[in-house]
Amino acid sequence: MTFNWKKPALILTDVLLAVYLFLAVTAFNKPDEQSNVCSEVKINIKEDVVKGFLNADEIKAQLLHAGLYPLGDPMEQIKARRIEENLLKNPFVESAQCYKTQTGRVFITLSQRLPIAHVKASNGDDYYVDTYGNIMPPTHYVNSLVIVTGAVSRKYAQKVLPRVGNYLLRDRLWRSQVEQLNVLADGSIELVPRVGEHIVYLGRPDNFKQKLERLEKFYKYGLSKAGWNKYSYISLEFDNQIICKKVK
């Protein structure tokens, strides 16, 4: 009887081929060793018309302090949700998003609370107010925000300053021209400009936009011809008129 060696050979070939395919598929599906570890952290902070308080180094320091900075950590152990929750504890962070990629990268995107005014009240309060009227703590950061002085209560700052500050911030002229707002005891406002030696009395913060539109026309057709230092006091309290006091 002649032994048929072809059949066992075919079976062996099938087995070896199956083993090869299994190992090949396993190796193909196994991620690159380097992608198992976070190799890069990208921090993006959205900016607005004015520069905020945050920078990438401060965010990195916050995560390092909390033991959550992911660089060098195994990707499977990095909890994006925990990173987001930690960043939202920062009083200057409005929203935070974190996600991981299969290539070993972690991306962090932040939007920050936008400050519109720096309050230095006569009662000793020192804080910032954001676009929504939220109180923000003082910081070492210095920028060109309008300074608000005088009889500024926190209620006034939260109710009135967002309306006034947002308008100044969004208007190109007044964002650069208004240096200081001084709040008097009755809640009326004086404006201190960067250019010119005069004080502008706005009165109560009603019809704020219309008052500044009148002031802009006065700057354009009045002071530009008469001279920026001709008047010491300009009142816009009453509608349809501007009262000026000359420099003595």
Side-chain angles (χ1 to χ4, degrees):
M1 181 177 179
T2 304
F3 179 76
N4 188 357
W5 56 267
K6 293 183 178 180
K7 188 175 182 179
L10 289 174
I11 295 174
L12 179 60
T13 301
D14 290 341
V15 171
L16 292 175
L17 181 61
V19 171
Y20 171 79
L21 291 175
F22 174 79
L23 293 176
V25 170
T26 302
F28 179 78
N29 288 331
K30 183 179 180 181
D32 182 30
E33 191 67 27
Q34 291 184 348
S35 69
N36 286 331
V37 176
C38 176
S39 60
E40 185 178 15
V41 179
K42 289 282 190 179
I43 299 175
N44 176 44
I45 301 175
K46 298 178 182 178
E47 296 289 355
D48 209 304
V49 291
V50 298
K51 185 176 176 63
F53 296 127
L54 299 175
N55 59 53
D57 288 338
E58 291 172 332
I59 296 302
K60 177 181 177 179
Q62 177 178 337
L63 293 177
L64 283 171
H65 181 75
L68 293 174
Y69 192 68
L71 188 64
D73 291 345
M75 293 297 289
E76 64 180 9
Q77 295 181 14
I78 297 172
K79 307 300 182 185
R81 183 61 178 173
R82 287 188 62 192
I83 291 175
E84 292 172 351
E85 291 174 347
N86 178 268
L87 293 175
L88 288 174
K89 295 178 181 179
N90 189 315
F92 302 117
V93 173
E94 182 175 6
S95 66
Q97 183 181 25
C98 176
Y99 66 92
K100 304 181 292 183
T101 70
Q102 294 182 346
T103 57
R105 295 180 178 181
V106 173
F107 289 84
I108 299 172
T109 301
L110 302 174
S111 62
Q112 52 188 325
R113 293 167 61 184
L114 182 63
I116 57 171
H118 185 181
V119 176
K120 293 186 176 182
S122 56
N123 62 6
D125 278 351
D126 186 352
Y127 53 86
Y128 291 86
V129 178
D130 74 3
T131 52
Y132 303 105
N134 298 311
I135 302 298
M136 304 169 69
T139 176
H140 64 278
Y141 185 84
V142 178
N143 61 12
S144 58
L145 288 178
V146 61
I147 297 174
V148 183
T149 59
V152 190
S153 66
R154 297 212 167 198
K155 181 178 180 180
Y156 187 97
Q158 291 177 302
K159 298 295 183 181
V160 177
L161 291 187
R163 177 160 46 89
V164 175
N166 279 313
Y167 179 78
L168 296 177
L169 194 65
R170 302 298 173 182
D171 188 278
R172 183 176 180 181
L173 170 63
W174 301 120
R175 186 169 68 245
S176 60
Q177 170 66 349
V178 179
E179 181 176 28
Q180 178 182 344
L181 297 176
N182 185 53
V183 180
L184 305 180
D186 62 354
S188 59
I189 297 177
E190 293 177 329
L191 182 155
V192 181
R194 296 185 188 276
V195 179
E197 299 297 326
H198 54 275
I199 301 295
V200 179
Y201 181 66
L202 298 172
R204 300 287 297 180
D206 302 320
N207 301 319
F208 189 80
K209 179 180 178 180
Q210 289 77 7
K211 290 176 180 179
L212 288 184
E213 286 175 349
R214 279 192 285 137
L215 181 59
E216 182 176 358
K217 291 180 181 178
F218 182 67
Y219 277 176
K220 185 176 181 180
Y221 301 108
L223 291 188
S224 62
K225 297 179 180 179
W228 285 87
N229 297 322
K230 183 176 182 178
Y231 302 107
S232 61
Y233 205 79
I234 300 172
S235 176
L236 300 171
E237 180 181 12
F238 303 109
D239 293 338
N240 300 319
Q241 60 177 305
I242 298 177
I243 301 173
C244 302
K245 181 180 179 181
K246 290 185 177 181
V247 174
K248 294 181 179 179

